[in-house]
């Protein structure tokens, strides 16, 4: 590992504060950030890329509750520190074998004249973007304080095209809207679709990561990194002046954060490039998080799994054991005296069928949902003691399933739905994690469907963000990997706690059974949701007509089979599910072969083509081997993808298996039409492939020895 840390200079400014402007350049000198104080002492920054203005002068600061002065102006610069950092680190799992962390840094120490309070604003400028945060050192005049609102601004240079979802305190499960910034308010109501828990705050409020493109062809992405002990940040747009301002998620009292110095806020990130691929390859979000805090990571391993899930999502089967009870009480209700509904999916016979399928096709694990008592009245009742996470239904024998799975070489994956009752989950967490370890479960899918308890809290407020973090750290104590659904969207914390192996926190595949998602949805997610970390998107659906599973559900999966295969490459995750039913895979075993073959951990990743909302083509090299996999997902219009295979090792011969849309394929009218062909390729080969609307292609490239 190379390590370089150079403290260039430290400048102590005199009381006259003659130097009121500071400039910071990226290592390649293409980005320049300028910090200054306005005449009234308001901190301000601006950002340019290749001499083009990206962020116009924008204010920084925090408004405090019950504090006349706040931390908005009246500052003087008392010290600046410049440094350079260049390091390479090895992730436990990831898109790359090694990640370079290279930036130039400027730390500006500010003193407020009237209060003598000290605030440090730290900037880190990478080749692909900027990160900044507020730091509050230990001091007498600022110890405990309440944030009324953070006032970080991002002033745009024009009416950019944006890919956005509505700002919401409780969900990110929306389809993306492509529009001009000036059109957000007029399109907002249409962009809001129903969800189990949701609350918007403004007709111009949007969520991060926010992806934009300027008329001049610059790509800009706004997000945050290292969200710890702080409320999740949204953005609210002043659409007359095209200025975004941070908007934190409030707690039940309307407060945005309870702070105690010393303390650092999360990083605010701005990525910019004239090449969309640079946004996808950037590791700014990971690099702005702390290094791994888990000493022994040998138990953290990527997982390819199947599960008893899709048939419940579609309505073919049920989570609940009986239909006789409108309400139950844990420890009191006697399930031996009720009539089973015969639609309960988490029963021994069915689960063993999944275990057999996983074993036969070399999958690592099987997820089972609806195995535990309480599903009869789990949702919408504001019920605190909703699950105990250890008591199975009569038709699910934990010991028997554990032994059977072990005999087949398959690991079981636990499911913990909390129904938003965070207090109840924390009460039972130690017992639940120990129960997992006692029965051979190394990973858990947790869920937070519905309104949060304590009542009035939101999914993204400071207190609940701290709950998610507590669950991750507690899981690490038990050597449990976590895949959190409905939690706050990730911000790179998986670097520090790599047992956070996956998140949902966006509109996933389940919504294809809830009316469907836009056919270009998966061409946007890598530019938005995946900027913060991998997503458990649950791809691999082969039967697109949901009415064939449930006659009462007329939803349609807006994707071709080839597109579904490509998602295993384009939607990076060390946790990948083959989400469909075994019997559907058995109808298309030739296509299913790609899901069996595709890797889930990588030495190298190359983004070959990219345009948000339209197409993405990715090539990845399997960890520890010379095999490559390529995925292409396409948007609403048919397109020809042309790629070079010059990343293959020179002098080597490979066999490429190409899974592609048939000529007459279409995500809506003919989604199951695909072709499979093989050909010999080398580093000199070129490929041209048509992708239909909502389609794509997947390629496995195996070295011929």
């Amino acid at each position: 590992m190379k390590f370089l840390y150079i403290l260039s200079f430290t400048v102590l400014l005199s009381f006259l504060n003659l130097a009121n402007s500071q400039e910071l350049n990226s290592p390649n000198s293409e980005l320049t950030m300028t910090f200054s104080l306005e005449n009234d002492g308001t901190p301000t920054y601006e950002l340019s890329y290749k001499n083009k203005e990206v962020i116009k002068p924008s204010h920084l600061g925090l408004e405090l509750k019950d504090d006349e002065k706040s931390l908005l102006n009246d500052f003087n610069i008392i010290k600046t520190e410049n440094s350079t950092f260049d390091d390479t680190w090895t992730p436990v799992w990831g898109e790359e074998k090694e990640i370079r962390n290279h930036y130039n840094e400027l730390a500006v120490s500010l003193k407020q004249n009237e209060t003598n309070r000290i605030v440090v604003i730290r900037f880190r400028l990478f080749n692909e973007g900027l990160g900044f945060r507020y730091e509050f050192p230990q001091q007498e005049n600022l110890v405990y304080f309440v944030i009324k609102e953070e006032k970080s601004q991002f002033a745009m240079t024009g009416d950019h095209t944006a890919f956005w979802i509505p700002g919401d305190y409780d969900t990110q499960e929306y389809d993306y809207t492509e529009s001009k910034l000036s059109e957000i308010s007029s399109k907002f109501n249409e962009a809001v679709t129903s969800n189990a828990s949701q609350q918007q705050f403004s007709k111009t409020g949007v969520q991060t990561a926010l992806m934009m493109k300027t008329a001049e062809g610059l790509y800009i992405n706004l997000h945050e990194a290292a969200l710890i002990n702080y409320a999740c940040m949204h953005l609210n747009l002043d659409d007359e002046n095209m200025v975004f301002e941070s908007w934190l998620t409030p707690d039940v009292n309307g407060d945005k954060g309870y702070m105690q110095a010393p303390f650092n806020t999360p990083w605010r990130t701005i990525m910019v490039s004239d090449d969309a691929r640079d946004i996808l390859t950037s590791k700014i979000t990971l690099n702005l998080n702390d290094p791994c805090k888990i000493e022994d990571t040998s138990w953290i391993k990527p997982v390819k799994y199947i599960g008893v899930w899709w048939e419940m999502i579609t309505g073919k089967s049920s989570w609940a054991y009986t239909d006789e009870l409108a309400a139950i009480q844990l420890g009191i209700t006697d399930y031996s005296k009720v009539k089973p509904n015969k639609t309960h999916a988490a029963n021994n016979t069915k689960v063993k069928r999944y275990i057999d399928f996983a074993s036969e096709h070399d999958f690592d694990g099987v997820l089972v949902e609806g195995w535990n008592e309480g599903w009869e009245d789990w949702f919408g009742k504001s019920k605190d003691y909703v699950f105990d996470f250890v008591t199975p239904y009569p038709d699910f024998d934990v010991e028997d399933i554990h032994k059977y799975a072990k005999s087949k070489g398959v690991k079981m994956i636990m499911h913990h739905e909390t129904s938003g009752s965070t207090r109840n989950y924390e009460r039972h967490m130690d017992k639940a994690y120990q129960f997992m370890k006692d029965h051979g479960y190394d990973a858990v899918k947790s869920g937070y469907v519905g309104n949060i308890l304590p009542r009035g809290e939101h999914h993204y407020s400071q207190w609940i963000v701290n709950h998610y973090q507590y669950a991750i750290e507690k899981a690490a104590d038990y050597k449990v990997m976590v895949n959190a659904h409905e939690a706050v969207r990730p911000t790179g914390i998986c670097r520090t706690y790599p047992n956070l192996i996956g998140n949902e926190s966006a509109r996933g595949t389940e919504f294809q059974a809830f009316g469907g998602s836009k056919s270009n949805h998966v061409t946007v997610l890598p530019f938005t949701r995946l900027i913060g970390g991998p997503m458990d998107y649950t791809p691999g659906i082969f039967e697109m007509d949901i009415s064939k599973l449930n006659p009462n559900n007329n939803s349609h999966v807006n994707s071709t089979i080839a597109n579904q295969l490509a998602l295993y490459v384009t939607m990076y995750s060390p946790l990948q599910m083959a989400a469909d039913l075994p019997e559907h895979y058995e109808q298309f075993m030739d296509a299913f072969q790609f899901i069996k073959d595709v890797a889930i951990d990588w030495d190298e990743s190359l983004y070959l083509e990219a345009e948000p909302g339209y197409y993405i083509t990715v090539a990845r090299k399997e960890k520890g081997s010379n095999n490559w996999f390529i995925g292409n997902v396409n948007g609403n219009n048919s397109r020809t993808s042309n790629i070079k295979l010059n990343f293959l090792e020179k002098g080597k011969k490979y066999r490429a298996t190409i899974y592609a849309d048939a000529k007459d394929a279409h995500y809506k009218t003919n989604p199951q039409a695909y072709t499979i062909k093989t050909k010999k390729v080398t580093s000199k080969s070129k490929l041209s492939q048509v992708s239909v609307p909502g389609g794509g292609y997947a390629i496995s490239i195996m070295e011929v020895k």
Side-chain angles (χ1 to χ4, degrees):
M1 177 183 288
K2 59 179 180 175
F3 179 82
L4 174 64
Y5 191 93
I6 304 173
L7 188 63
S8 321
F9 60 88
T10 300
V11 181
L12 297 176
L13 298 179
S14 69
F15 69 96
L16 296 175
N17 196 30
L18 299 177
N20 209 33
S21 178
Q22 304 292 324
E23 189 172 280
L24 181 67
N25 294 314
S26 61
N28 64 6
S29 299
E30 291 185 348
L31 279 164
T32 299
M33 190 282 303
T34 303
F35 174 84
S36 61
L37 292 177
E38 294 186 346
N39 292 335
D40 65 350
T42 299
T44 305
Y45 78 101
E46 52 191 302
L47 183 67
S48 64
Y49 173 73
K50 295 182 178 178
N51 298 317
K52 295 179 182 179
E53 192 174 40
V54 177
I55 303 293
K56 298 194 298 184
S58 301
H59 294 165
L60 299 171
L62 291 97
E63 183 179 2
L64 306 186
K65 181 181 180 182
D66 300 327
D67 191 301
E68 294 182 2
K69 190 62 180 176
S70 283
L71 298 171
L72 299 172
N73 53 29
D74 195 27
F75 287 106
N76 279 319
I77 298 175
I78 58 172
K79 182 173 69 172
T80 64
E81 295 177 284
N82 285 73
S83 60
T84 294
F85 186 85
D86 193 352
D87 183 24
T88 299
W89 57 279
T90 302
V92 175
W93 43 260
E95 296 183 85
E96 304 285 346
K97 185 177 182 179
E98 293 183 331
I99 294 176
R100 188 182 185 187
N101 188 8
H102 187 198
Y103 58 81
N104 292 331
E105 181 176 278
L106 169 67
V108 182
S109 296
L110 303 173
K111 185 175 183 179
Q112 196 171 41
N113 293 323
E114 183 177 327
T115 66
N116 289 323
R117 293 168 173 169
I118 304 296
V119 178
V120 179
I121 305 179
R122 189 175 302 274
F123 300 91
R124 289 181 180 172
L125 195 54
F126 302 78
N127 287 338
E128 67 272 34
L130 173 69
F132 66 85
R133 72 180 182 188
Y134 304 92
E135 300 178 0
F136 307 97
Q138 190 165 351
Q139 55 194 293
E140 291 183 1
N141 296 327
L142 189 66
V143 183
Y144 293 98
F145 57 100
V146 179
I147 296 175
K148 184 176 181 180
E149 190 59 81
E150 182 184 323
K151 294 289 186 177
S152 301
Q153 292 184 345
F154 308 84
M156 300 293 103
T157 60
D159 191 10
H160 305 331
T161 297
F163 297 85
W164 57 274
I165 55 176
D168 196 297
Y169 297 151
D170 288 293
T171 186
Q172 283 206 308
E173 295 177 334
Y174 295 117
D175 255 322
Y176 283 88
T177 298
E178 177 185 355
S179 77
K180 295 290 188 181
L181 296 178
S182 59
E183 297 173 324
I184 290 176
S185 60
S186 63
K187 294 179 178 294
F188 191 88
N189 287 346
E190 183 182 355
V192 175
T193 51
S194 62
N195 197 273
S197 180
Q198 56 191 149
Q199 184 172 331
Q200 303 85 45
F201 57 87
S202 166
K203 292 296 179 65
T204 55
V206 297
Q207 300 196 44
T208 70
L210 176 67
M211 189 68 207
M212 292 173 285
K213 185 179 181 180
T214 72
E216 295 76 27
L218 285 184
Y219 299 88
I220 304 170
N221 186 284
L222 305 180
H223 193 34
E224 66 177 324
L227 176 58
I228 300 284
N229 191 23
Y230 204 76
C232 173
M233 179 184 75
H234 309 276
L235 299 170
N236 198 31
L237 177 66
D238 171 355
D239 55 7
E240 291 187 5
N241 298 301
M242 297 302 163
V243 177
F244 283 106
E245 189 168 271
S246 55
W247 185 286
L248 304 182
T249 305
D251 65 11
V252 65
N253 297 320
D255 299 323
K256 301 296 183 80
Y258 287 77
M259 303 291 107
Q260 178 185 351
F263 179 77
N264 304 326
T265 71
W267 296 89
R268 281 63 188 96
T269 61
I270 306 165
M271 287 185 278
V272 58
S273 178
D274 50 17
D275 188 335
R277 295 175 298 175
D278 292 338
I279 305 298
L280 298 175
T281 59
S282 173
K283 297 296 180 285
I284 283 180
T285 312
L286 289 175
N287 282 330
L288 288 172
N289 278 267
D290 289 339
C292 180
K293 292 186 177 181
I294 301 174
E295 292 185 11
D296 174 21
T297 59
S298 61
W299 51 275
I300 302 173
K301 299 181 184 298
V303 176
K304 190 185 295 186
Y305 72 106
I306 62 173
V308 185
W309 173 77
W310 185 241
E311 60 183 273
M312 291 117 84
I313 289 292
T314 58
K316 174 183 172 66
S317 302
S318 67
W319 277 273
Y321 175 75
T322 181
D323 298 333
E324 288 188 338
L325 303 176
I328 65 102
Q329 291 179 291
L330 297 179
I332 297 175
T333 300
D334 186 351
Y335 281 94
S336 68
K337 296 180 180 179
V338 301
K339 180 182 178 181
N341 56 23
K342 297 185 179 181
T343 60
H344 181 234
N347 62 77
N348 273 32
T349 301
K350 180 165 297 207
V351 171
K352 287 181 178 180
R353 157 81 165 122
Y354 277 80
I355 292 171
D356 289 341
F357 187 83
S359 178
E360 180 183 354
H361 299 291
D362 296 322
F363 279 72
D364 302 299
V366 173
L367 167 74
V368 180
E369 298 198 15
W371 67 276
N372 56 322
E373 292 183 356
W375 288 92
E376 285 73 20
D377 63 347
W378 72 283
F379 176 73
K381 310 296 192 300
S382 193
K383 188 176 183 179
D384 187 21
Y385 186 30
V386 59
F387 294 113
D388 68 6
F389 313 102
V390 296
T391 305
Y393 280 126
D395 59 351
F396 186 79
D397 187 327
V398 176
E399 287 289 348
D400 182 46
I401 290 296
H402 167 52
K403 292 176 182 176
Y404 190 80
K406 187 175 181 180
S407 73
K408 296 285 186 173
V410 173
K411 283 282 189 178
M412 298 302 296
I413 300 173
M414 180 57 71
H415 181 236
H416 288 166
E417 176 55 59
T418 69
S419 189
S421 184
T422 57
R423 184 182 73 153
N424 182 59
Y425 193 30
E426 289 185 10
R427 282 198 305 251
H428 290 86
M429 200 173 286
D430 280 289
K431 186 177 180 180
Y433 286 155
Q434 187 59 56
F435 181 84
M436 285 178 58
K437 300 309 292 183
D438 291 342
H439 295 90
Y441 291 79
D442 296 331
V444 61
K445 173 185 175 181
S446 57
Y448 296 87
V449 176
N451 293 332
I452 289 291
L453 292 175
R455 297 174 184 87
E457 289 289 344
H458 295 290
H459 283 76
Y460 307 150
S461 60
Q462 180 189 23
W463 196 92
I464 306 303
V465 167
N466 288 349
H467 163 81
Y468 303 138
Q469 188 64 31
Y470 175 79
I472 296 166
E473 296 184 25
K474 176 66 71 171
D477 292 341
Y478 288 86
K479 296 187 176 180
V480 166
M481 296 181 288
V482 175
N483 167 28
H485 282 227
E486 294 89 31
V488 70
R489 78 283 191 280
T491 57
I493 290 169
C494 57
R495 178 190 179 185
T496 312
Y497 291 95
N499 66 313
L500 180 60
I501 198 171
N503 283 94
E504 181 193 39
S505 307
R507 188 182 180 95
T509 298
E510 63 183 350
F511 278 84
Q512 298 282 23
F514 302 159
S517 296
K518 292 179 180 178
S519 59
N520 71 337
H521 185 57
V522 293
T523 68
V524 180
L525 283 173
F527 287 97
T528 52
R529 161 60 185 78
L530 270 73
I531 293 297
M535 179 179 178
D536 183 29
Y537 186 71
T538 62
I541 304 302
F542 281 12
E543 178 51 72
M544 312 306 176
D545 183 355
I546 304 303
S547 68
K548 291 183 179 180
L549 288 84
N550 176 7
N552 298 316
N553 187 342
N554 294 317
S555 299
H556 187 274
V557 179
N558 295 321
S559 166
T560 66
I561 283 182
N563 178 283
Q564 288 291 310
L565 297 180
L567 294 174
Y568 290 91
V569 184
T570 62
M571 295 283 290
Y572 168 68
S573 180
L575 180 74
Q576 290 284 22
M577 184 183 195
D580 213 334
L581 278 59
E583 51 263 40
H584 292 160
Y585 292 133
E586 289 167 348
Q587 297 174 32
F588 305 97
M589 288 306 295
D590 54 351
F592 183 65
Q593 187 63 44
F594 182 83
I595 299 178
K596 293 174 61 175
D597 290 339
V598 68
I600 49 175
D601 204 12
W602 310 99
D603 275 342
E604 186 178 356
S605 296
L606 303 173
Y607 288 85
L608 307 179
E609 305 174 301
E611 183 65 28
Y614 294 86
Y615 56 85
I616 296 174
T617 308
V618 189
R620 303 189 194 272
K621 185 181 181 184
E622 182 179 13
K623 179 157 286 187
S625 89
N626 219 14
N627 297 330
W628 287 79
F629 295 86
I630 299 175
N632 164 271
V633 289
N634 190 38
N636 300 322
N637 301 312
S638 184
R639 176 180 178 273
T640 299
S641 172
N642 295 294
I643 60 174
K644 298 178 181 179
L645 304 185
N646 54 6
F647 50 82
L648 298 177
E649 187 174 343
K650 293 181 180 179
K652 298 280 188 179
K653 295 180 180 180
Y654 297 82
R655 183 184 71 258
T657 304
I658 304 169
Y659 305 78
D661 296 318
K663 290 183 179 180
D664 59 346
H666 188 280
Y667 76 89
K668 200 73 172 179
T669 59
N670 200 13
Q672 293 177 318
Y674 61 88
T675 63
I676 302 175
K677 61 182 179 181
T678 61
K679 63 185 301 184
K680 295 179 181 179
V681 297
T682 69
S683 61
K684 298 179 180 179
S685 299
K686 299 178 181 179
L687 295 178
S688 180
Q689 185 64 53
V690 174
S691 295
V692 304
Y697 59 84
I699 307 174
S700 61
I701 304 177
M702 309 294 192
E703 182 182 358
V704 177
K705 298 182 180 179

